Amino acid sequence: MSDLNEKDRLSDYLDGEMSASERTEFEAELKTSESLRLELDRMRRASGQLRNHFQSKAAAAVDDEGCAIAVEQIVRMSTQELRRADIKPTARRSPFMIFALALLVLGLGLILASPFLNNEPSPDELIADAADRINHQVSEFSFSLGPQLEPMLGLIRSRVGYDVEVKARLRIGPGGLAHVLIAADGLEAVQLQAGFDGQNHWFANDPAGPIQRAPRLEDLPENPLAAGLLGVALSLRAALDEARNNPAALELVGRVEDEFGGESWKVHLGGSRARMNGDFWFDDEGQLLRFGIGPVMGVATPNPDFGLEDFQLDRILPGVPIEDVEP
Amino acid sequence: MSSIEEEDDWDLLAAASAESGAGFAELVRRHYRPALAFSRQVLGDLHKAEDVTQKAFVNIFVARERFERKARFRTLLFRVVLNLSINEVSRKNRSLSFSDLGDEEQSVEGLAPDQNSVMPDASVEARELGEMIEGGLMKLSPKHRAALYLREYQGMAYNEIAETLEATLAEVKIWIHRGRSAMQQILKPYLDRGERIS
């Protein structure tokens, strides 16, 4: 049995996570194996020491007076926040208000005859689903950076010598996988790429040199273009996390029409308590269609044709030498 | 009629309103210390942990009508605290690698003292040991730390830890086993001596 499996069993035994039959079998083994008993004793003592450590840290964190002050402060802030959001309990609304609201909703429903009014989505559920998809599936977005893209465009144009059609693309996947690319379409010589390959490698390329690779992003040499590119991936993940953890900062703007006549549900992330602002657009199935975070506007590619293996460096930049950067 | 101290956590949350904070105050009083300790363990910083814990309670209060009583209130609270703590880590250091926020722990080699070194007296030893354990914990990813804390200190079962961390049971097992292994590595000189560590 491998060492890992052995430790798994020890941990399961200590934590009471074994079935009755597994436990009986393990205890029989314990009686005959001194090394197993010794290993169990070591793990038990290490576990006990860790528990003591957590206990001492917890006890030192706050005294009774500090706790009472914190409780008072939290309750005050919570009620203030609720009043600010103007979320009043239904039970305290007057019957007249409820009747008027009901009439208003009914009237709007009859006038607009919209099929969507009865199916208005919950913004936090939309966001939670989008975050889950981003974290568990592969997704692709084409994006624009507005004025911030200009330095990159300038670099590309200077290399090519004329104005070119430029594509900017973000691929994102589970485990932090990211690959961001800005390129003159079809011209590999001017591709700028950066990403995280899921194997503890952050990478960025300079079109004129090798791919630089490092276990931590901060270890890559100063590379504003790569930092700007990776900022797109980091911002999208951070905005979705913020939106998921801060439902009070979400607002369903409503059904909106885009410039091509298509319709989508728009959710806004913002407000005084939000650390980030952004907008997300979803279709009726809850698929994330577009996002807008700061200067970045991203549009999802429907049914992208690539997989997890496409995040590997040898697939992204085949044949290009790799330079490992020492921390 | 039962007193407020005996009421269920979810009932206290449901009864809370902008006009009446008494029930919510009781709820915060019950869970503030463990939530703060949990956040501190994930963040490694008490002051930031205070902010995160405060924000977690405020968020839950404002959005209280959206939560369902599917699990214990503590599970929901710890999940919100964890997500906010990880956000805080991410916000603080955008250059942190994704793996720091995920599943991969860093090496704990070099944290354990030289086995042949002269052992100092008990109080110094205890302090140094505490620092080594803390150093070792901070080398683990936030989710590894969280899993170890929830198991060792909160005594949560694996399935409850999985629910709190929004992870699979298999992931939780791996995180706890790896965390313990890392701790054993750090504590090896002490464990080898066959002494109870006080």
Side-chain angles (χ1 to χ4, degrees):
Chain A
M1 185 172 286
S2 74
D3 186 49
L4 182 63
N5 285 342
E6 192 64 59
K7 286 194 188 309
D8 284 356
R9 288 205 308 155
L10 292 168
S11 244
D12 284 350
Y13 180 73
L14 274 184
D15 292 336
E17 296 280 343
M18 277 182 168
S19 67
S21 60
E22 287 170 336
R23 193 171 187 83
T24 305
E25 188 184 335
F26 184 80
E27 285 175 347
E29 205 175 326
L30 266 182
K31 285 179 185 164
T32 59
S33 170
E34 190 180 342
S35 64
L36 191 61
R37 283 199 302 275
L38 188 65
E39 198 57 36
L40 180 66
D41 183 55
R42 280 166 180 269
M43 184 172 278
R44 185 177 278 136
R45 283 189 290 139
S47 172
Q49 185 58 25
L50 197 54
R51 199 158 39 248
N52 290 343
H53 178 75
F54 287 139
Q55 171 79 52
S56 66
K57 297 287 279 188
V62 61
D63 58 18
D64 288 347
E65 190 184 349
C67 186
I69 292 169
V71 171
E72 191 185 324
Q73 198 173 2
I74 287 170
V75 172
R76 192 174 61 248
M77 285 179 65
S78 299
T79 49
Q80 281 172 354
E81 187 69 22
L82 197 60
R83 288 193 191 106
R84 190 158 44 231
D86 198 24
I87 303 170
K88 294 177 180 167
T90 310
R92 293 184 182 269
R93 287 190 180 132
S94 72
F96 174 76
M97 280 292 290
I98 294 169
F99 182 66
L101 278 171
L103 270 182
L104 184 63
V105 170
L106 185 63
L108 282 172
L110 289 172
I111 292 166
L112 299 175
S114 164
F116 305 113
L117 281 179
N118 293 329
N119 298 311
E120 187 166 274
S122 149
D124 45 351
E125 283 178 8
L126 286 173
I127 290 291
D129 286 347
D132 279 347
R133 285 198 185 101
I134 291 292
N135 289 327
H136 295 102
Q137 298 174 14
V138 288
S139 313
E140 185 181 90
F141 300 87
S142 57
F143 66 89
S144 64
L145 275 172
Q148 293 193 358
L149 190 59
E150 282 305 317
M152 301 184 200
L153 290 176
L155 183 73
I156 290 174
R157 285 172 188 142
S158 70
R159 300 225 183 218
V160 179
Y162 55 89
D163 199 352
V164 289
E165 186 78 18
V166 170
K167 69 176 176 187
R169 190 189 70 200
L170 162 67
R171 285 176 171 178
I172 198 163
L177 287 173
H179 175 216
V180 197
L181 168 147
I182 288 187
D185 212 351
L187 297 173
E188 289 184 4
V190 290
Q191 286 186 359
L192 297 167
Q193 303 192 58
F196 178 70
D197 72 355
Q199 296 178 329
N200 267 348
H201 292 137
W202 291 85
F203 63 88
N205 83 311
D206 177 336
I211 306 165
Q212 291 184 312
R213 187 172 73 172
R216 295 172 68 92
L217 178 56
E218 66 196 8
D219 294 327
L220 284 175
E222 188 67 23
N223 187 336
L225 291 175
L229 286 175
L230 284 166
V232 178
L234 293 168
S235 297
L236 175 58
R237 287 187 192 276
L240 283 170
D241 280 348
E242 168 73 12
R244 185 154 68 166
N245 294 320
N246 197 355
L250 289 179
E251 178 199 357
L252 180 67
V253 177
R255 192 83 179 159
V256 296
E257 191 173 319
D258 65 28
E259 62 268 37
F260 304 109
E263 285 192 331
S264 54
W265 293 103
K266 182 179 178 183
V267 173
H268 177 66
L269 165 69
S272 58
R273 295 195 61 81
R275 287 183 172 139
M276 296 183 74
N277 292 310
D279 293 297
F280 303 92
W281 289 263
F282 298 89
D283 68 13
D284 290 327
E285 271 69 55
Q287 291 279 353
L288 180 60
L289 297 175
R290 283 185 289 154
F291 66 85
I293 300 162
V296 182
M297 286 295 298
V299 179
T301 307
N303 307 314
D305 181 25
F306 67 100
L308 290 173
E309 68 278 10
D310 292 308
F311 288 92
Q312 303 307 312
L313 266 177
D314 56 357
R315 295 286 286 263
I316 291 169
L317 288 159
V320 179
I322 297 171
E323 179 184 286
D324 281 311
V325 179
E326 292 299 322
Chain B
M1 191 174 184
S2 64
S3 68
I4 201 167
E5 287 79 14
E6 293 167 347
E7 281 200 47
D8 175 76
D9 288 343
W10 287 107
D11 290 339
L12 290 173
L13 185 65
S17 69
E19 288 76 22
S20 173
F24 187 59
E26 170 61 20
L27 189 63
V28 178
R29 206 170 290 121
R30 284 181 193 176
H31 297 284
Y32 179 74
R33 283 176 197 267
L36 175 67
F38 177 52
S39 179
R40 182 190 186 173
Q41 205 54 61
V42 176
L43 282 166
D45 183 311
L46 179 59
H47 294 301
K48 287 193 173 64
E50 285 171 345
D51 290 345
V52 159
T53 308
Q54 191 175 66
K55 191 171 182 216
F57 277 110
V58 172
N59 286 0
I60 288 173
F61 180 77
V62 172
R64 67 196 184 289
E65 289 170 358
R66 300 181 195 175
F67 298 120
E68 294 176 31
R69 300 182 183 213
K70 284 181 181 169
R72 296 164 73 187
F73 173 78
R74 188 179 61 167
T75 305
L76 165 73
L77 173 64
F78 276 33
R79 185 188 297 172
V80 175
V81 167
L82 177 72
N83 288 336
L84 290 173
S85 300
I86 288 178
N87 272 2
E88 180 61 33
V89 173
S90 177
R91 194 183 64 80
K92 186 178 70 177
N93 187 1
R94 281 189 59 196
S95 62
L96 208 64
S97 76
F98 280 119
S99 63
D100 287 341
L101 307 179
D103 305 343
E104 296 302 319
E105 75 271 36
Q106 299 171 36
S107 168
V108 293
E109 282 175 18
L111 284 170
D114 181 355
Q115 290 190 54
N116 300 318
S117 65
V118 177
M119 288 297 170
D121 68 54
S123 61
V124 176
E125 183 179 316
R127 195 185 68 237
E128 286 181 355
L129 187 62
E131 287 169 0
M132 271 196 299
I133 292 175
E134 189 63 15
L137 285 168
M138 293 314 292
K139 285 270 186 182
L140 301 175
S141 78
K143 283 198 171 176
H144 279 78
R145 282 201 296 280
L148 268 183
Y149 176 85
L150 295 176
R151 176 60 225 164
E152 298 288 17
Y153 186 58
Q154 290 293 326
M156 280 189 184
Y158 287 5
N159 58 358
E160 195 181 358
I161 296 173
E163 197 173 343
T164 304
L165 304 184
E166 295 179 293
T168 64
L169 204 56
E171 285 173 326
V172 167
K173 278 189 167 194
I174 289 170
W175 293 342
I176 290 174
H177 301 168
R178 284 186 185 170
R180 280 195 178 135
S181 294
M183 285 302 116
Q184 273 186 276
Q185 196 180 329
I186 290 167
L187 297 172
K188 190 170 185 301
Y190 298 90
L191 299 175
D192 282 350
R193 282 188 289 156
E195 295 174 4
R196 290 258 168 216
I197 303 161
S198 56

